[in-house]
Amino acid sequence: MHVAVPRPVEVPSRRFGQYLLRSRLGSGGMAEVFLADAVDVRGQPFSVALKFMRKDVPAEAFADEADLMGLLEHPNLVQRLEVGEAFGRPFIAMELLVGGDLGGLMRALQQQRRPFPPGLAAHVGIEVLRGLAYFHQARTRSGRPLGLVHGDINPANIFFSGEGDVKVGDFGVAKAQGADIGPADGVAAGKLHYLSPEQTRGEPLTPASDVFAVGIVLHELLLGRHPFRRDTTDVKVVMNAIRAARLHLPDTLDRGLAAILRKALDPDVVSRYHTAGELAGALLTWSLDSGQDITRMDVRRWLADVLGLIG
C-alpha cells in the first residue's frame, strides 16, 4: 500500500468564487477542507466547509464523491450544499460542523486527561451506524440498489454539529457494487489502521467491513487505545495484526460492551455483525439496560464542556 504525503492545495487567492477562504480545517491523502464564508441570496452571511481534491487525484474520484453526496440525504451523513468550479478548480461546498471531528475530540480529552464516557461512546457508535445503515441501503433515483460500502470509517471522518448531531462524512473511497463508483477491485483504499481483514486481502467489501471499522473506533473510545496498532511503519505487520484481530480486553471493561467488541471485531465475516443495524441494536440494548441512554442534548452539553463551544 502506497501512503502519499499530503501536499497543499493551491488556490489563486483567498476568494474562491463566491466564497472567502478563512482557514484550513483539515487535510488527507485525497483532499483538503477549508473554512469559507459567503453571503446568501437574502444578504445573510453563512459559513461552509469547502473541499478541494488534490491535483493528482483522478477527476472521476471527485465526481463520484460529489454525485454520491447529492444523492444521499440523511441526518447522520454530512450534507452537500453545492458543487462548483472557480479558477479552473472544482469544489464541493458542505455543511459546516462546528464540533469538529471525532479525532480532534479524542485528542482534546487526552490533553485534559479525561476518559471517553462509555454511554457517549455507545451513542456515537449508534449514530454512526444509523448513517451507515442508510448508506448501505441507498438506491439510485430509479430505485436500483447501489450496494454502497463506505470503506473509510475512522475518527477523522466522524463529525459533530454544534447541536450534538453525529455525522459520517468523506465518501471519497466509497465502493458501489451496483455502479461504477469507487476504487478498482482489489485496492485497499481506506486508512490503513481502520481496514477490515477482508480489505487488507483485496476481497470484495460488504457492510460488515464498515462494521469492523466501527468496532475499531469503539475500542479506541472505550479503552483509549487502538486494538491493532503496532510500533512500526511496516504495512505488512499492521495488516497481519488486523487479519489476526486478537483482542486483549481488560477485566474492568463492562462485560456487555466486551461481548459487543468481540463480535464487531471478529476477523471472520460470518461470525461478525453482518449489518450496521445488528451492531446498532446491540449497542442500543446495552445503553437502555445500563441506564446510559444518551440524548442529543447530552452530547451538545458535553461538546460545550470539552471543546468550549458556546450555545
Side-chain angles (χ1 to χ4, degrees):
M1 176 184 292
H2 174 67
V3 180
V5 177
R7 295 184 298 280
V9 169
E10 298 177 4
V11 292
S13 69
R14 289 177 60 85
R15 180 164 291 281
F16 198 79
Q18 67 168 315
Y19 300 103
L20 182 64
L21 302 185
R22 292 297 185 186
S23 60
R24 190 173 73 170
L25 295 174
S27 64
M30 295 183 65
E32 282 193 327
V33 182
F34 291 83
L35 169 65
D37 294 337
V39 178
D40 65 20
V41 293
R42 296 172 296 178
Q44 298 297 313
F46 68 100
S47 297
V48 301
L50 212 59
K51 183 170 187 174
F52 301 94
M53 300 299 286
R54 299 185 183 282
K55 286 186 176 180
D56 58 340
V57 174
E60 293 80 5
F62 180 88
D64 285 349
E65 180 174 14
D67 289 346
L68 273 181
M69 292 191 76
L71 184 65
L72 305 173
E73 186 172 351
H74 188 273
N76 296 110
L77 298 181
V78 176
Q79 295 300 298
R80 186 191 82 178
L81 302 178
E82 179 189 10
V83 174
E85 183 176 313
F87 303 106
R89 296 296 307 279
F91 64 83
I92 303 174
M94 306 174 293
E95 62 176 323
L96 180 66
L97 298 168
V98 299
D101 63 47
L102 180 58
L105 183 60
M106 292 163 65
R107 290 189 291 273
L109 286 169
Q110 188 175 36
Q111 291 171 359
Q112 297 170 27
R113 297 184 178 181
R114 297 168 63 179
F116 209 107
L120 280 162
H123 175 82
V124 169
I126 291 168
E127 294 301 291
V128 167
L129 291 160
R130 287 184 195 275
L132 285 176
Y134 169 84
F135 192 84
H136 295 154
Q137 298 167 32
R139 295 172 176 267
T140 64
R141 290 186 174 86
S142 64
R144 178 168 53 86
L146 281 169
L148 285 172
V149 178
H150 187 285
D152 197 19
I153 295 297
N154 68 77
N157 291 338
I158 297 170
F159 301 89
F160 296 90
S161 75
E163 298 301 314
D165 302 300
V166 181
K167 303 200 176 202
V168 175
D170 199 339
F171 312 134
V173 302
K175 180 71 175 176
Q177 302 299 334
D180 185 19
I181 294 175
D185 291 339
V187 175
K191 187 171 287 187
L192 173 61
H193 288 87
Y194 297 87
L195 300 179
S196 63
E198 56 272 21
Q199 238 172 326
T200 68
R201 294 189 292 264
E203 297 171 0
L205 304 187
T206 70
S209 305
D210 284 341
V211 165
F212 191 91
V214 174
I216 293 176
V217 173
L218 285 171
H219 188 288
E220 288 187 289
L221 299 184
L222 293 168
L223 298 174
R225 56 182 173 82
H226 190 287
F228 313 124
R229 192 175 294 279
R230 300 293 183 266
D231 294 327
T232 178
T233 57
D234 190 326
V235 172
K236 290 184 178 179
V237 172
V238 176
M239 285 190 170
N240 285 336
I242 291 171
R243 290 167 188 161
R246 295 190 181 94
L247 294 182
H248 304 282
L249 304 179
D251 294 336
T252 52
L253 179 63
D254 177 276
R255 288 186 179 182
L257 289 175
I260 290 171
L261 283 182
R262 291 191 186 282
K263 189 171 177 65
L265 292 172
D266 197 306
D268 183 0
V269 177
V270 175
S271 301
R272 196 185 307 158
Y273 293 109
H274 294 165
T275 68
E278 286 185 10
L279 177 51
L283 288 170
L284 181 57
T285 298
W286 177 85
S287 298
L288 295 174
D289 288 347
S290 63
Q292 299 194 54
D293 185 24
I294 303 298
T295 67
R296 182 166 169 259
M297 186 57 67
D298 293 329
V299 177
R300 179 179 177 179
R301 294 194 192 99
W302 184 62
L303 288 172
D305 178 35
V306 176
L307 302 177
L309 300 180
I310 300 174

